[in-house]
Each structure stands twice: as structure tokens, then as C-alpha cells.
Amino acid sequence: MLLGFLLSFSSVSLLALLAVPVIGGAIYYIAAVAELRARGGLVGGRYFGVPDLFMGGALAAYFAWNGLLSLAQGDVVVDVQSGRLWDTAIFMMAVLGVAAVFAKVRNIPFAKAIGLDWAQFFPSILRAAVALGTALPLVWAVNLFARNFLPEQAREQAMVSVFRTASETGDWSTVWAVCASAVIVAPIVEESLFRGYFYSTMKRYAGPSASVFWTSVLFAVSHGNAAVMAGLFTLSVCLTIAFERYGSLWVSMGMHACFNAMSLMLLYMQGRGWLQA
């Protein structure tokens, strides 16, 4: 019924209908930025200093290098399939552990410094849902634009290909490994480092605008796929704005986890033939 309703629209009317959530999302984040400019953000970098610029820079260089290698090598699927998804997840947690230990030896309360307060966990659930709901149309629109205007770059991510093949063939061990990595490990590690550590540290010395830009560039490049880079940059900006607005990393973690979970769910539905690609 819904499909017939949509098909009955002219192309201009359909585009106008689809533009409504995109415009709504843009208004939401423009208003959030205006609010932040008026009252200031809630993310402070007072805990982090010059040593963190060096440590953060080293970790950021690691992520950038891996992403650039993936871009140069074509995001080779066999590397991911052969590659020890669980080992990679453990290694990523270890990278986060390095930053936490580095803070610990300097008597910095790492969890508090990056915006993780258990008292904010439950309030962050609704905030994350609203922030993600308004971000999704923007991210999808940017991805659609990139795929239409950069068709030569429209290559599927290696991890996506692995999950798609595993879900089609019933390889449940791989399916669960990808799900755990994408929905649990990636949001914890990437939000703690990109938003909580890199952004907070850089903001202290470069200000919020430059910090959100360069952190988002790093976030997009680190995933090593040109086709989704613009969308990931947009997502990162939205994640950082939400982090600044509420001062809680739980919000951006929740947004990140739900975004990945929704993406995997859609891929699974496509793989089972329940949803047309």
C-alpha cells in the first residue's frame, strides 16, 4: 500500500516528500549548533594536556594510516574474511586500553575526562534516539549523493561484503562476530577515542570548529572506503554535536551503536531476500 502510494506521486512530488526528513534533520542540527554557540558546549578538555596531543596524535596517525592503506588496496575482502574478526576486536580494545593507561599513570580519571558518567546513562537513551533519528536522513542523503556522483568509487566495504555473504550462507559465527564488532566494540572504542579523547584534547588547543572538522575527517578516512566517506564524515559531525550538546559520551555511543545495528539489520534483510537492495 505504501509503495503504491509513493509510486502514484510524480518524481518532483516524491523528491519533495523525501526531502522533508532531510530538511528536518538539517534544521535540528543547525539549531543545535546555534544553541552551542550561544551557551557553549559541555565538552571540556581540561583533563588533557600536551602529552595527550602527542599520544592522541600517534593513535590518530595509526587510524589514518590503516584507512589510507585500505583505500590504496581496495578494501580487500579476503583480508577481513581470513582475518580474525575477534582478534581485531580485542586489538581495538587494547588500543583504547593504551589511552586509558596513559591517562591513569598521570592520575587522570579517564572515564570522567571523556564524558562517561553512569548517572547520565539512562537519560542518554532518549537523547541518542532523537539525535540519531534526525541525523539518519542527512547521512543517507549524503551517501546517496556520493553514490550518484562518484559511481566509480561505489565499492562495498569489506566488512559489509563479509556480513552479506555470511548472512546469505548461514555462517552464523561470522554474523555474530561482525555484529559484536560493529554494535559493541566499534561504538565503545571509536567514540571513546575519536570523540572522548581526540576531539576533547584538540578542542582545548584548536577550538571546537577545527576539532570537529579534523576529527570527522579522521573518522571517515579511518574506515578506508571512499564510497561511504562523505556519509561517515556527516555522521561524525552529528555525533560530535550531540556529544557537545549533552556532554555525555553515552549519547554518541548509543547513536553509533544503533546506526551500525540498523545498517546490519537492513543488510540481513537484503541477504534473506526480504528487502530489495
Side-chain angles (χ1 to χ4, degrees):
M1 181 179 296
L2 178 59
L3 180 59
F5 173 73
L6 291 176
L7 290 177
S8 68
F9 271 66
S10 67
S11 58
V12 175
S13 298
L14 181 58
L15 285 174
L17 179 64
L18 295 175
V20 170
V22 177
I23 295 173
I27 291 174
Y28 175 88
Y29 279 95
I30 290 172
V33 170
E35 175 190 338
L36 290 171
R37 287 186 180 276
R39 66 165 172 82
L42 297 179
V43 175
R46 66 184 185 277
Y47 289 102
F48 300 125
V50 173
D52 299 291
L53 284 177
F54 287 98
M55 174 59 76
L59 294 177
Y62 165 78
F63 283 104
W65 178 251
N66 275 349
L68 292 173
L69 279 180
S70 294
L71 285 171
Q73 296 171 357
D75 204 21
V76 183
V77 175
V78 67
D79 288 341
V80 179
Q81 288 176 327
S82 63
R84 314 165 299 269
L85 289 171
W86 291 111
D87 290 346
T88 300
I90 293 171
F91 177 75
M92 292 305 295
M93 293 297 292
V95 172
L96 175 58
V98 169
V101 170
F102 184 69
K104 179 68 174 179
V105 298
R106 294 162 51 231
N107 294 317
I108 293 175
F110 188 70
K112 183 178 181 180
I114 64 174
L116 283 179
D117 181 359
W118 280 106
Q120 293 296 317
F121 180 80
F122 289 107
S124 295
I125 295 175
L126 179 59
R127 292 167 180 172
V130 173
L132 178 61
T134 50
L136 279 176
L138 295 173
V139 175
W140 287 340
V142 170
N143 268 336
L144 180 62
F145 180 88
R147 287 182 180 276
N148 285 337
F149 288 89
L150 299 171
E152 72 280 2
Q153 302 290 353
R155 186 184 67 253
E156 194 170 63
Q157 283 181 284
M159 190 71 76
V160 170
S161 297
V162 170
F163 181 83
R164 186 189 300 278
T165 300
S167 61
E168 290 174 354
T169 60
D171 181 1
W172 294 109
S173 62
T174 299
V175 167
W176 288 117
V178 174
C179 287
S181 177
V183 181
I184 300 175
V185 176
I188 291 174
V189 173
E190 293 178 2
E191 292 310 306
S192 295
L193 290 176
F194 285 86
R195 240 71 51 195
Y197 192 42
F198 299 161
Y199 173 76
S200 297
T201 301
M202 191 183 301
K203 178 187 174 182
R204 179 175 181 180
Y205 296 96
S209 298
S211 301
V212 70
F213 175 79
W214 288 112
T215 302
S216 297
V217 168
L218 176 64
F219 183 80
V221 170
S222 69
H223 286 77
N225 185 270
V228 297
M229 200 172 290
L232 288 174
F233 177 88
T234 304
L235 176 63
S236 179
V237 170
C238 293
L239 290 169
T240 310
I241 292 173
F243 180 37
E244 274 281 16
R245 187 179 189 188
Y246 298 110
S248 174
L249 199 65
W250 293 119
V251 175
S252 58
M253 277 188 184
M255 291 172 65
H256 195 153
C258 290
F259 178 83
N260 286 354
M262 290 178 63
S263 300
L264 292 179
M265 181 179 67
L266 292 174
L267 283 172
Y268 180 78
M269 293 173 69
Q270 290 177 6
R272 306 298 293 182
W274 301 339
L275 185 68
Q276 186 175 357

